[in-house]
Amino acid sequence: MPPSVAEPPAFGSLRFEVVDAIATITLDRPDALNALTVPMKTELLRALRLVARDRAIRVVVLTGAGRAFCAGQDLRERHEPDAAPLATELRDRFNPIIRAMRALDQPIVAAVNGVAAGAGASLALACDIRVASSGASFILAFGGIGLVPDSGASWFLPRLVGASKAAELALLGDKLSATEAERFGLVMAVVGPEALLGEARAVAGRLAAMAPAALASTKHALDRAWSVGLDRALEDEAYRQGVAGATRDHAEGMAAFLEKRPPRFTGE
Ligand code: T3D
């Protein structure tokens, strides 16, 4: 595995650590339920860019410190007289984060440790896989302050839970509990709070052991499939399979199968 280029970077409002090819990003303003300020958004984008450059990182776990995952935009900051206009803030700070998450080759596992509200819910929705603590919840809190779902929520939610449930959650702003989220397939597993990070890292560990190029291509193929017809998707799969089939990792996977041993994928 290539050495990590991610030096322990200095962050103020989040924690970034890499262990065993898994980068854990912890939103770290627990007193404000990890509400997103300008510095925090800037740092989150910086952390995602660090991951994008570091092939030694195979998976990202995104979580929150304290009792919340993330309460969305910091409403105290939003109330400041010099706050950027809403649309500008979305275009300049929120949307680049969501785009970076989906452009990332590495899958992102959300460890939803508590409430995910507003753009905090959007962050969780933009991850590839979610595991949740039993006390976690998702709230499309936008309507409560006279706003509309943003940071990708209106795009991800109907795709993840279906149009009907998405309308209910987005229009009424009702809280979706972790267990209900699991029933709708939004979260992969619900575990006790003390087991959450272990569960998320176990899922991340499984992903980290897989062939990274194939994993990245699968992530991007799934995203692309939303916007193309079957013919295009079939051709897209054929192309991606040609690329994946030419990797050393594919040869290793085949050899491991025939030799009845676990594969050792290197990312080549
Ligand atoms: O730039 C832009 O504005 C555009 C982008 C917008 C995207 C958005 O995210 S809009 C939606 C923003 N978020 C919300 O509307 C959620 C607001 N928060 C809540 O509704 C509730 O706090 C929760 C349902 C998330 C949790 O409720 P609860 O009862 O568990 O906690 P609490 O007592 O309300 O909050 C605890 C503390 O966190 C409290 O501070 P204090 O009084 O102890 O000093 C509270 O003010 C603070 N807090 C919670 N959410 C935010 C926040 N502080 C700043 N911003 C927040 N979003």
Side-chain angles (χ1 to χ4, degrees):
M1 193 181 297
S4 174
V5 298
E7 313 254 316
F11 289 105
S13 52
L14 57 82
R15 283 181 268 137
F16 181 88
E17 54 191 352
V18 183
V19 177
D20 294 337
I22 301 169
T24 302
I25 300 174
T26 307
L27 306 173
D28 195 15
R29 298 184 63 233
D31 291 348
L33 305 189
N34 303 317
L36 297 157
T37 56
V38 168
M40 197 171 187
K41 284 173 264 185
T42 306
E43 291 192 341
L44 181 52
L45 186 58
R46 184 153 69 87
L48 292 167
R49 287 182 174 154
L50 267 173
V51 172
R53 289 201 303 272
D54 192 339
R55 286 177 51 235
I57 296 173
R58 297 272 185 97
V59 191
V60 177
V61 171
L62 179 63
T63 192
R67 71 179 176 92
F69 178 74
C70 173
Q73 166 63 34
D74 187 301
L75 296 178
R76 292 205 172 88
E77 182 189 73
R78 158 67 36 225
H79 200 57
E80 294 290 320
D82 60 347
L86 285 160
T88 305
E89 190 63 19
L90 285 166
R91 290 192 183 105
D92 290 357
R93 297 210 172 82
F94 282 97
N95 294 354
I97 291 170
I98 302 301
R99 288 196 181 99
M101 290 171 75
R102 297 316 310 157
L104 211 60
D105 280 346
Q106 297 94 328
I108 310 177
V109 179
V112 187
N113 54 303
V115 63
S122 308
L123 281 183
L125 297 176
C127 292
D128 296 279
I129 290 177
R130 283 150 292 278
V131 296
S133 144
S134 46
S137 57
F138 299 82
I139 310 176
L140 279 265
F142 306 93
I145 51 169
L147 292 181
V148 302
D150 65 25
S151 308
S154 65
W155 195 91
F156 291 109
L157 196 65
R159 287 169 168 82
L160 292 170
V161 301
S164 179
K165 191 67 184 174
E168 184 187 318
L169 295 171
L171 294 172
L172 293 170
D174 285 348
K175 182 195 280 193
L176 184 74
S177 70
T179 30
E180 211 190 348
E182 188 180 27
R183 200 155 55 77
F184 275 87
L186 185 63
V187 303
M188 176 180 170
V190 179
V191 296
E194 67 297 334
L196 179 68
L197 265 186
E199 180 70 19
R201 288 192 174 129
V203 174
R206 284 175 58 196
L207 293 165
M210 299 177 81
L215 216 53
S217 198
T218 302
K219 167 173 173 164
H220 300 314
L222 289 173
D223 276 4
R224 187 169 153 76
W226 291 116
S227 55
V228 299
L230 176 62
D231 268 351
R232 189 63 243 169
L234 288 170
E235 179 46 39
D236 196 36
E237 284 177 355
Y239 171 76
R240 289 176 187 280
Q241 203 66 298
V243 174
T247 60
R248 285 200 187 144
D249 277 346
H250 169 58
E252 163 63 9
M254 291 295 287
F257 174 78
L258 295 172
E259 292 161 21
K260 297 187 186 300
R261 62 168 174 81
R264 287 180 299 273
F265 294 122
T266 61
E268 297 301 312

